[in-house]
mmCIF file of all heavy atoms in Angstrom:
data_model
loop_
_atom_site.group_PDB
_atom_site.id
_atom_site.type_symbol
_atom_site.label_atom_id
_atom_site.label_comp_id
_atom_site.label_asym_id
_atom_site.label_seq_id
_atom_site.Cartn_x
_atom_site.Cartn_y
_atom_site.Cartn_z
ATOM 1 N N PRO Q 1 10.840 5.746 -4.700
ATOM 2 C CA PRO Q 1 10.036 6.896 -4.348
ATOM 3 C C PRO Q 1 8.970 6.507 -3.326
ATOM 4 O O PRO Q 1 8.507 5.360 -3.375
ATOM 5 C CB PRO Q 1 9.414 7.457 -5.552
ATOM 6 C CG PRO Q 1 10.228 6.971 -6.651
ATOM 7 C CD PRO Q 1 10.787 5.579 -6.215
ATOM 8 N N TYR Q 2 8.477 7.435 -2.411
ATOM 9 C CA TYR Q 2 7.630 7.105 -1.346
ATOM 10 C C TYR Q 2 6.327 6.411 -1.945
ATOM 11 O O TYR Q 2 5.787 5.445 -1.302
ATOM 12 C CB TYR Q 2 7.255 8.293 -0.609
ATOM 13 C CG TYR Q 2 6.416 8.147 0.666
ATOM 14 C CD1 TYR Q 2 7.189 7.824 1.802
ATOM 15 C CD2 TYR Q 2 5.070 8.181 0.591
ATOM 16 C CE1 TYR Q 2 6.357 7.577 2.971
ATOM 17 C CE2 TYR Q 2 4.327 7.953 1.776
ATOM 18 C CZ TYR Q 2 4.988 7.629 3.023
ATOM 19 O OH TYR Q 2 4.355 7.390 4.114
ATOM 20 N N GLY Q 3 5.759 7.081 -2.832
ATOM 21 C CA GLY Q 3 4.514 6.451 -3.482
ATOM 22 C C GLY Q 3 4.640 4.943 -3.934
ATOM 23 O O GLY Q 3 3.825 4.108 -3.803
ATOM 24 N N LEU Q 4 5.849 4.565 -4.518
ATOM 25 C CA LEU Q 4 6.099 3.317 -4.901
ATOM 26 C C LEU Q 4 6.373 2.293 -3.784
ATOM 27 O O LEU Q 4 6.040 1.172 -3.857
ATOM 28 C CB LEU Q 4 7.248 3.274 -5.898
ATOM 29 C CG LEU Q 4 7.075 4.034 -7.255
ATOM 30 C CD1 LEU Q 4 8.300 3.811 -8.110
ATOM 31 C CD2 LEU Q 4 5.828 3.722 -7.889
ATOM 32 N N GLN Q 5 6.968 2.916 -2.706
ATOM 33 C CA GLN Q 5 7.114 2.030 -1.465
ATOM 34 C C GLN Q 5 5.711 1.628 -0.886
ATOM 35 O O GLN Q 5 5.493 0.474 -0.471
ATOM 36 C CB GLN Q 5 7.856 2.855 -0.474
ATOM 37 C CG GLN Q 5 9.298 2.970 -0.654
ATOM 38 C CD GLN Q 5 10.109 3.658 0.382
ATOM 39 O OE1 GLN Q 5 9.693 3.544 1.467
ATOM 40 N NE2 GLN Q 5 11.272 4.352 -0.018
ATOM 41 N N ARG Q 6 4.773 2.659 -0.991
ATOM 42 C CA ARG Q 6 3.450 2.330 -0.579
ATOM 43 C C ARG Q 6 2.866 1.191 -1.432
ATOM 44 O O ARG Q 6 2.173 0.182 -0.927
ATOM 45 C CB ARG Q 6 2.573 3.523 -0.696
ATOM 46 C CG ARG Q 6 2.639 4.544 0.404
ATOM 47 C CD ARG Q 6 2.024 4.087 1.706
ATOM 48 N NE ARG Q 6 2.194 4.984 2.739
ATOM 49 C CZ ARG Q 6 1.953 4.732 3.980
ATOM 50 N NH1 ARG Q 6 1.528 3.575 4.362
ATOM 51 N NH2 ARG Q 6 2.087 5.771 4.963
ATOM 52 N N ARG Q 7 3.036 1.252 -2.648
ATOM 53 C CA ARG Q 7 2.626 0.142 -3.554
ATOM 54 C C ARG Q 7 3.278 -1.181 -3.266
ATOM 55 O O ARG Q 7 2.648 -2.255 -3.312
ATOM 56 C CB ARG Q 7 2.772 0.562 -5.037
ATOM 57 C CG ARG Q 7 1.799 1.549 -5.526
ATOM 58 C CD ARG Q 7 2.190 2.069 -6.900
ATOM 59 N NE ARG Q 7 1.105 2.995 -7.458
ATOM 60 C CZ ARG Q 7 0.067 2.593 -8.195
ATOM 61 N NH1 ARG Q 7 -0.094 1.356 -8.442
ATOM 62 N NH2 ARG Q 7 -0.801 3.527 -8.646
ATOM 63 N N LEU Q 8 4.554 -1.151 -3.036
ATOM 64 C CA LEU Q 8 5.289 -2.377 -2.778
ATOM 65 C C LEU Q 8 4.772 -2.963 -1.452
ATOM 66 O O LEU Q 8 4.733 -4.181 -1.377
ATOM 67 C CB LEU Q 8 6.815 -1.969 -2.534
ATOM 68 C CG LEU Q 8 7.712 -3.179 -2.190
ATOM 69 C CD1 LEU Q 8 7.635 -4.317 -3.149
ATOM 70 C CD2 LEU Q 8 9.182 -2.756 -2.036
ATOM 71 N N GLU Q 9 4.407 -2.234 -0.432
ATOM 72 C CA GLU Q 9 3.904 -2.785 0.789
ATOM 73 C C GLU Q 9 2.565 -3.492 0.590
ATOM 74 O O GLU Q 9 2.293 -4.459 1.057
ATOM 75 C CB GLU Q 9 3.749 -1.636 1.845
ATOM 76 C CG GLU Q 9 3.492 -2.160 3.212
ATOM 77 C CD GLU Q 9 3.509 -1.223 4.275
ATOM 78 O OE1 GLU Q 9 3.104 -0.082 4.087
ATOM 79 O OE2 GLU Q 9 3.990 -1.519 5.426
ATOM 80 N N ILE Q 10 1.791 -2.885 -0.279
ATOM 81 C CA ILE Q 10 0.422 -3.543 -0.647
ATOM 82 C C ILE Q 10 0.761 -4.837 -1.430
ATOM 83 O O ILE Q 10 0.125 -5.975 -1.149
ATOM 84 C CB ILE Q 10 -0.385 -2.654 -1.570
ATOM 85 C CG1 ILE Q 10 -0.851 -1.385 -0.631
ATOM 86 C CG2 ILE Q 10 -1.612 -3.336 -2.091
ATOM 87 C CD1 ILE Q 10 -1.654 -0.353 -1.453
ATOM 88 N N GLY Q 11 1.702 -4.758 -2.431
ATOM 89 C CA GLY Q 11 2.041 -6.050 -3.047
ATOM 90 C C GLY Q 11 2.548 -7.075 -2.099
ATOM 91 O O GLY Q 11 2.186 -8.232 -2.299
ATOM 92 N N ARG Q 12 3.358 -6.766 -1.067
ATOM 93 C CA ARG Q 12 3.853 -7.815 -0.252
ATOM 94 C C ARG Q 12 2.713 -8.338 0.683
ATOM 95 O O ARG Q 12 2.623 -9.494 0.816
ATOM 96 C CB ARG Q 12 4.837 -7.196 0.730
ATOM 97 C CG ARG Q 12 5.515 -8.174 1.697
ATOM 98 C CD ARG Q 12 6.590 -7.507 2.714
ATOM 99 N NE ARG Q 12 5.940 -6.486 3.428
ATOM 100 C CZ ARG Q 12 6.680 -5.803 4.323
ATOM 101 N NH1 ARG Q 12 7.812 -5.824 4.434
ATOM 102 N NH2 ARG Q 12 5.850 -4.834 5.179
ATOM 103 N N ALA Q 13 1.764 -7.482 0.970
ATOM 104 C CA ALA Q 13 0.592 -8.036 1.757
ATOM 105 C C ALA Q 13 -0.325 -8.955 0.919
ATOM 106 O O ALA Q 13 -0.807 -9.926 1.483
ATOM 107 C CB ALA Q 13 -0.306 -6.853 2.209
ATOM 108 N N LEU Q 14 -0.366 -8.646 -0.418
ATOM 109 C CA LEU Q 14 -1.151 -9.556 -1.274
ATOM 110 C C LEU Q 14 -0.544 -10.839 -1.585
ATOM 111 O O LEU Q 14 -1.209 -11.821 -1.827
ATOM 112 C CB LEU Q 14 -1.435 -8.806 -2.714
ATOM 113 C CG LEU Q 14 -2.374 -7.568 -2.664
ATOM 114 C CD1 LEU Q 14 -2.408 -6.912 -3.948
ATOM 115 C CD2 LEU Q 14 -3.827 -7.985 -2.251
ATOM 116 N N ALA Q 15 0.819 -10.793 -1.366
ATOM 117 C CA ALA Q 15 1.541 -12.132 -1.655
ATOM 118 C C ALA Q 15 1.150 -13.300 -0.784
ATOM 119 O O ALA Q 15 1.184 -14.452 -1.117
ATOM 120 C CB ALA Q 15 3.080 -11.880 -1.440
ATOM 121 N N ASN Q 16 0.605 -12.983 0.345
ATOM 122 C CA ASN Q 16 -0.086 -14.003 1.260
ATOM 123 C C ASN Q 16 -1.396 -14.574 0.828
ATOM 124 O O ASN Q 16 -1.911 -15.537 1.518
ATOM 125 C CB ASN Q 16 -0.160 -13.379 2.660
ATOM 126 C CG ASN Q 16 -0.549 -14.403 3.808
ATOM 127 O OD1 ASN Q 16 -0.003 -15.486 3.705
ATOM 128 N ND2 ASN Q 16 -1.405 -14.043 4.604
ATOM 129 N N GLN Q 17 -1.885 -14.056 -0.340
ATOM 130 C CA GLN Q 17 -3.110 -14.462 -0.830
ATOM 131 C C GLN Q 17 -4.323 -14.364 0.243
ATOM 132 O O GLN Q 17 -4.918 -15.318 0.554
ATOM 133 C CB GLN Q 17 -3.198 -15.955 -1.289
ATOM 134 C CG GLN Q 17 -2.172 -16.191 -2.402
ATOM 135 C CD GLN Q 17 -2.027 -17.648 -2.883
ATOM 136 O OE1 GLN Q 17 -2.734 -18.468 -2.440
ATOM 137 N NE2 GLN Q 17 -1.060 -17.953 -3.725
ATOM 138 N N PRO Q 18 -4.365 -13.142 0.740
ATOM 139 C CA PRO Q 18 -5.258 -12.958 1.898
ATOM 140 C C PRO Q 18 -6.744 -12.984 1.443
ATOM 141 O O PRO Q 18 -7.039 -12.541 0.323
ATOM 142 C CB PRO Q 18 -4.956 -11.622 2.493
ATOM 143 C CG PRO Q 18 -4.372 -10.886 1.193
ATOM 144 C CD PRO Q 18 -3.709 -11.948 0.577
ATOM 145 N N LYS Q 19 -7.529 -13.270 2.488
ATOM 146 C CA LYS Q 19 -9.097 -13.134 2.227
ATOM 147 C C LYS Q 19 -9.516 -11.741 2.623
ATOM 148 O O LYS Q 19 -10.444 -11.216 2.191
ATOM 149 C CB LYS Q 19 -9.908 -14.209 2.969
ATOM 150 C CG LYS Q 19 -9.620 -15.610 2.510
ATOM 151 C CD LYS Q 19 -10.378 -16.735 3.282
ATOM 152 C CE LYS Q 19 -10.133 -18.051 2.822
ATOM 153 N NZ LYS Q 19 -8.777 -18.531 3.236
ATOM 154 N N LEU Q 20 -8.730 -11.223 3.602
ATOM 155 C CA LEU Q 20 -9.076 -9.853 4.294
ATOM 156 C C LEU Q 20 -7.675 -9.142 4.188
ATOM 157 O O LEU Q 20 -6.702 -9.508 4.757
ATOM 158 C CB LEU Q 20 -9.554 -10.161 5.704
ATOM 159 C CG LEU Q 20 -9.645 -8.720 6.430
ATOM 160 C CD1 LEU Q 20 -10.741 -7.884 5.884
ATOM 161 C CD2 LEU Q 20 -10.011 -9.168 7.939
ATOM 162 N N LEU Q 21 -7.738 -7.922 3.663
ATOM 163 C CA LEU Q 21 -6.669 -7.031 3.541
ATOM 164 C C LEU Q 21 -6.939 -5.740 4.422
ATOM 165 O O LEU Q 21 -7.918 -5.178 4.151
ATOM 166 C CB LEU Q 21 -6.397 -6.699 2.099
ATOM 167 C CG LEU Q 21 -5.217 -5.728 1.837
ATOM 168 C CD1 LEU Q 21 -3.909 -6.322 2.201
ATOM 169 C CD2 LEU Q 21 -5.170 -5.321 0.363
ATOM 170 N N LEU Q 22 -6.111 -5.513 5.303
ATOM 171 C CA LEU Q 22 -6.116 -4.245 6.199
ATOM 172 C C LEU Q 22 -5.190 -3.253 5.681
ATOM 173 O O LEU Q 22 -3.945 -3.522 5.718
ATOM 174 C CB LEU Q 22 -5.818 -4.584 7.751
ATOM 175 C CG LEU Q 22 -6.588 -5.883 8.305
ATOM 176 C CD1 LEU Q 22 -6.046 -6.106 9.663
ATOM 177 C CD2 LEU Q 22 -8.076 -5.611 8.241
ATOM 178 N N LEU Q 23 -5.702 -2.083 5.224
ATOM 179 C CA LEU Q 23 -4.786 -1.096 4.801
ATOM 180 C C LEU Q 23 -4.919 0.237 5.758
ATOM 181 O O LEU Q 23 -5.950 0.731 5.925
ATOM 182 C CB LEU Q 23 -5.281 -0.531 3.373
ATOM 183 C CG LEU Q 23 -5.300 -1.549 2.302
ATOM 184 C CD1 LEU Q 23 -5.766 -1.095 1.071
ATOM 185 C CD2 LEU Q 23 -3.936 -2.213 2.156
ATOM 186 N N ASP Q 24 -3.682 0.438 6.436
ATOM 187 C CA ASP Q 24 -3.617 1.514 7.406
ATOM 188 C C ASP Q 24 -3.032 2.716 6.774
ATOM 189 O O ASP Q 24 -1.887 2.836 6.535
ATOM 190 C CB ASP Q 24 -2.864 0.969 8.655
ATOM 191 C CG ASP Q 24 -2.953 1.950 9.822
ATOM 192 O OD1 ASP Q 24 -3.674 2.865 9.772
ATOM 193 O OD2 ASP Q 24 -2.447 1.518 10.908
ATOM 194 N N GLU Q 25 -3.938 3.650 6.529
ATOM 195 C CA GLU Q 25 -3.561 4.980 5.931
ATOM 196 C C GLU Q 25 -2.690 4.735 4.635
ATOM 197 O O GLU Q 25 -1.571 5.297 4.619
ATOM 198 C CB GLU Q 25 -2.973 5.954 7.019
ATOM 199 C CG GLU Q 25 -3.902 6.124 8.078
ATOM 200 C CD GLU Q 25 -3.478 7.390 8.914
ATOM 201 O OE1 GLU Q 25 -2.751 8.261 8.413
ATOM 202 O OE2 GLU Q 25 -3.683 7.340 10.121
ATOM 203 N N PRO Q 26 -3.200 4.125 3.670
ATOM 204 C CA PRO Q 26 -2.328 3.866 2.539
ATOM 205 C C PRO Q 26 -1.941 5.166 1.716
ATOM 206 O O PRO Q 26 -0.900 5.217 0.973
ATOM 207 C CB PRO Q 26 -3.120 2.950 1.653
ATOM 208 C CG PRO Q 26 -4.582 3.234 2.083
ATOM 209 C CD PRO Q 26 -4.492 3.519 3.469
ATOM 210 N N THR Q 27 -2.685 6.160 1.780
ATOM 211 C CA THR Q 27 -2.364 7.469 1.040
ATOM 212 C C THR Q 27 -1.493 8.355 1.879
ATOM 213 O O THR Q 27 -1.037 9.493 1.309
ATOM 214 C CB THR Q 27 -3.602 8.175 0.538
ATOM 215 O OG1 THR Q 27 -4.333 8.694 1.617
ATOM 216 C CG2 THR Q 27 -4.568 7.163 -0.213
ATOM 217 N N ALA Q 28 -1.167 8.025 3.138
ATOM 218 C CA ALA Q 28 -0.421 9.070 3.995
ATOM 219 C C ALA Q 28 0.835 9.350 3.404
ATOM 220 O O ALA Q 28 1.729 8.544 3.022
ATOM 221 C CB ALA Q 28 -0.213 8.461 5.316
ATOM 222 N N GLY Q 29 1.235 10.718 3.225
ATOM 223 C CA GLY Q 29 2.465 10.997 2.540
ATOM 224 C C GLY Q 29 2.591 10.969 1.119
ATOM 225 O O GLY Q 29 3.687 11.436 0.617
ATOM 226 N N MET Q 30 1.547 10.623 0.481
ATOM 227 C CA MET Q 30 1.597 10.499 -1.027
ATOM 228 C C MET Q 30 1.274 11.863 -1.630
ATOM 229 O O MET Q 30 0.528 12.676 -1.051
ATOM 230 C CB MET Q 30 0.573 9.484 -1.486
ATOM 231 C CG MET Q 30 0.918 8.069 -1.154
ATOM 232 S SD MET Q 30 -0.129 6.800 -1.898
ATOM 233 C CE MET Q 30 0.394 6.877 -3.619
ATOM 234 N N ALA Q 31 1.876 12.068 -2.758
ATOM 235 C CA ALA Q 31 1.565 13.271 -3.627
ATOM 236 C C ALA Q 31 0.159 13.234 -4.028
ATOM 237 O O ALA Q 31 -0.319 12.185 -4.348
ATOM 238 C CB ALA Q 31 2.581 13.397 -4.685
ATOM 239 N N THR Q 32 -0.473 14.384 -4.211
ATOM 240 C CA THR Q 32 -1.872 14.414 -4.556
ATOM 241 C C THR Q 32 -2.109 13.707 -5.915
ATOM 242 O O THR Q 32 -3.150 12.945 -5.991
ATOM 243 C CB THR Q 32 -2.352 15.860 -4.684
ATOM 244 O OG1 THR Q 32 -2.147 16.433 -3.408
ATOM 245 C CG2 THR Q 32 -3.803 15.943 -4.980
ATOM 246 N N ASP Q 33 -1.216 13.864 -6.911
ATOM 247 C CA ASP Q 33 -1.456 13.233 -8.147
ATOM 248 C C ASP Q 33 -1.318 11.676 -8.156
ATOM 249 O O ASP Q 33 -1.618 10.989 -9.153
ATOM 250 C CB ASP Q 33 -0.674 13.862 -9.175
ATOM 251 C CG ASP Q 33 0.925 13.714 -8.898
ATOM 252 O OD1 ASP Q 33 1.244 13.246 -7.745
ATOM 253 O OD2 ASP Q 33 1.767 14.021 -9.767
ATOM 254 N N GLN Q 34 -0.755 11.123 -7.075
ATOM 255 C CA GLN Q 34 -0.574 9.767 -6.961
ATOM 256 C C GLN Q 34 -1.877 8.978 -6.377
ATOM 257 O O GLN Q 34 -2.071 7.800 -6.498
ATOM 258 C CB GLN Q 34 0.629 9.311 -6.058
ATOM 259 C CG GLN Q 34 1.886 9.735 -6.752
ATOM 260 C CD GLN Q 34 3.101 9.532 -5.716
ATOM 261 O OE1 GLN Q 34 2.941 9.716 -4.581
ATOM 262 N NE2 GLN Q 34 4.212 9.040 -6.293
ATOM 263 N N VAL Q 35 -2.720 9.799 -5.675
ATOM 264 C CA VAL Q 35 -3.883 9.234 -4.971
ATOM 265 C C VAL Q 35 -4.826 8.572 -5.960
ATOM 266 O O VAL Q 35 -5.340 7.528 -5.565
ATOM 267 C CB VAL Q 35 -4.589 10.345 -4.054
ATOM 268 C CG1 VAL Q 35 -5.782 9.812 -3.390
ATOM 269 C CG2 VAL Q 35 -3.478 10.655 -3.032
#
């Protein structure tokens, strides 16, 4: 589902063990109850 794809993308970004995480409109297209 779309909301889980958003979470997966954040998980992939975190896999790099970043010091700085850039999130570009992470709630775009998400259902209100998922926010």
Side-chain angles (χ1 to χ4, degrees):
Y2 188 85
L4 296 188
Q5 289 185 27
R6 283 285 180 192
R7 287 175 172 269
L8 177 57
E9 192 172 39
I10 292 174
R12 185 180 63 185
L14 290 174
N16 186 42
Q17 300 177 9
K19 298 178 180 70
L20 174 63
L21 180 63
L22 309 175
L23 301 178
D24 195 353
E25 296 194 32
T27 70
M30 292 186 70
T32 302
D33 61 352
Q34 295 175 321
V35 173

